[in-house]
Amino acid sequence: MTGTIAEVAFPADEFALGKTLDALDTVRFDIEQVVAYNRNQFMPFVWAGTDDRLGVETAFEADESVRDFQLIGGFEAESLYRLEWIKDIELLTQILVEENGTVLTASGKDDTWYLQLLFSEHDAVTRTHEYCRRRGIDLDLQNIHEFSKGRTGRYGLTESQRRTLQLAYDTGYYSVPRNASATDLADSLGVTHQSISEKLRRGHSNLVRNTLALNE
């Protein structure tokens, strides 16, 4: 299977959790999974990267995009919630239903959502971008590249993850003290800081899972 991956960014107030991100501007939210029940109802599972659980839940209660929420699990520095969004998420509807797209990663911080989307064909990216333009949705298309389902190598790493991890090692990102920052890596590869963070995080996850046999 081949497809196209699009990395996009857009304001939270045009998607969901706008007031929550505004109230908790230092907290990062990562969507773990999106479950679609019908064309207008999506149940995301969201990680909140903070130990201030009360602050997160207070923000959810005041956010008009959230109908209900449920704490799935709490850890020292992050908690997993299942959210029920109250409004029709037009962009997500277009991506998941109309274009048969998949949300690979989604993170929200500082009033902005960053999504990595997988489409079965390149034209679907063009149609989604045009859909947003017509409706005044400020979609920032940051990067597009081709994807192949079979592009995983040793330790389950994709070629992109392997290249990023290799660069991080070569430039001293893992040195103590650190000789390169995530911003340095992003500048070297010509991608966003968010994209680098996602690649490092998923690359580390694949390395740990496959070297420690956690998938057995």
Side-chain angles (χ1 to χ4, degrees), residues 102-155:
T102 300
V103 179
L104 297 179
T105 65
S107 300
K109 188 177 180 181
D110 297 332
D111 301 327
T112 303
W113 278 100
Y114 303 89
L115 272 68
Q116 188 179 61
L117 309 169
L118 172 62
F119 296 95
S120 60
E121 59 177 5
H122 189 278
D123 288 347
V125 179
T126 302
R127 289 193 296 268
T128 299
H129 191 265
E130 177 61 20
Y131 172 90
C132 292
R133 188 193 65 79
R134 292 196 307 268
R135 284 159 179 77
I137 298 174
D138 186 17
L139 181 70
D140 179 12
L141 190 57
Q142 299 186 329
N143 191 25
I144 302 176
H145 56 91
E146 298 308 306
F147 171 84
S148 171
K149 188 175 181 180
R151 288 177 60 192
T152 55
R154 193 179 183 190
Y155 305 124

Side-chain angles (χ1 to χ4, degrees), residues 58-94:
T58 299
F60 284 163
E61 290 172 352
D63 197 313
E64 70 271 11
S65 68
V66 179
R67 174 180 283 120
D68 197 9
F69 62 89
Q70 177 185 359
L71 176 66
I72 302 300
F75 303 92
E76 182 176 347
E78 58 182 358
S79 299
L80 178 64
Y81 291 90
R82 187 184 73 169
L83 302 183
E84 181 179 351
W85 282 332
I86 198 167
K87 66 179 181 180
D88 179 0
I89 309 301
E90 289 186 289
L91 178 57
L92 202 56
T93 301
Q94 169 72 9

